[in-house]
Amino acid sequence: MKVLDLHCRSEHVFEGWFASEEDFQSQLGKGLVQCPLCGDEQVQKRLSAPRLNLRASASARAQVPTAEPSPAPQLPSDASQAAAWLQRMRQAVAQSEDVGERFTEEARKMHWGEADQRPIRGQANLDQTLQLLEEGIPVLPLPPALKEPLQ
């Protein structure tokens, strides 16, 4: 699992989780990596420090999850940026299929090629989200207010 610090042309900084560098480059090339604030697809990696845990024993590493879900996007403080962000989130919700409690199942099917790729949203608890991330399946947690369709 690679956790990358990313930024767009507007210098919005955000985190991306990818199975590998090749996965990042593939998603970037397909236009699947976008700034969560402005939707810009011109995304670049920023310098970031690797996380190394050289002292943990193998059994300790097996018990502790190595991936954590990305924090939910923060609302911008500027009113115009907030309006643009809210509009982008409305579009994302409107253009995605709500699969409800089947989210983890559907995400896995798409990841492994058992179902067609499509934008989906639904519910997953923290354990399910961590499992998806450990399998290299990208997940973007939404703030609670955005889990329901916006008006």
Side-chain angles (χ1 to χ4, degrees):
M1 178 65 61
K2 288 186 93 56
V3 180
L4 302 176
D5 290 329
L6 306 171
H7 73 277
C8 68
R9 289 180 288 193
S10 298
E11 292 302 316
H12 298 132
V13 178
F14 56 100
E15 202 173 77
W17 294 69
F18 303 92
S20 64
E21 176 66 23
E22 295 77 28
D23 183 38
F24 167 68
Q25 294 297 335
S26 171
Q27 289 187 38
L28 188 64
K30 294 176 184 175
L32 298 175
V33 181
Q34 299 177 346
C35 174
L37 295 176
C38 67
D40 187 1
E41 292 180 2
Q42 296 296 317
V43 173
Q44 295 180 344
K45 291 190 289 185
R46 296 176 66 97
L47 291 177
S48 60
R51 180 176 180 266
L52 301 175
N53 188 2
L54 302 175
R55 295 186 186 194
S57 68
S59 63
R61 282 193 302 270
Q63 294 174 1
V64 178
T66 57
E68 297 177 16
S70 300
Q74 297 297 311
L75 291 173
S77 58
D78 176 79
S80 64
Q81 285 183 337
W85 182 85
L86 186 57
Q87 179 60 30
R88 183 73 181 145
M89 288 295 106
R90 284 182 176 142
Q91 288 175 334
V93 169
Q95 295 172 355
S96 62
E97 177 186 347
D98 186 358
V99 295
E101 294 179 3
R102 296 180 297 117
F103 179 79
T104 55
E105 177 185 340
E106 291 297 316
R108 281 190 178 102
K109 285 180 182 178
M110 289 189 309
H111 182 74
W112 299 114
E114 298 169 5
D116 291 335
Q117 293 286 324
R118 66 194 191 282
I120 62 170
R121 66 183 191 284
Q123 293 85 42
N125 64 35
L126 180 58
D127 289 337
Q128 292 169 325
T129 302
L130 288 172
Q131 289 172 0
L132 291 174
L133 291 169
E134 288 172 353
E135 293 174 36
I137 302 171
V139 177
L140 175 65
L142 292 177
L146 293 178
K147 291 182 180 173
E148 297 299 320
L150 301 173
Q151 309 196 5

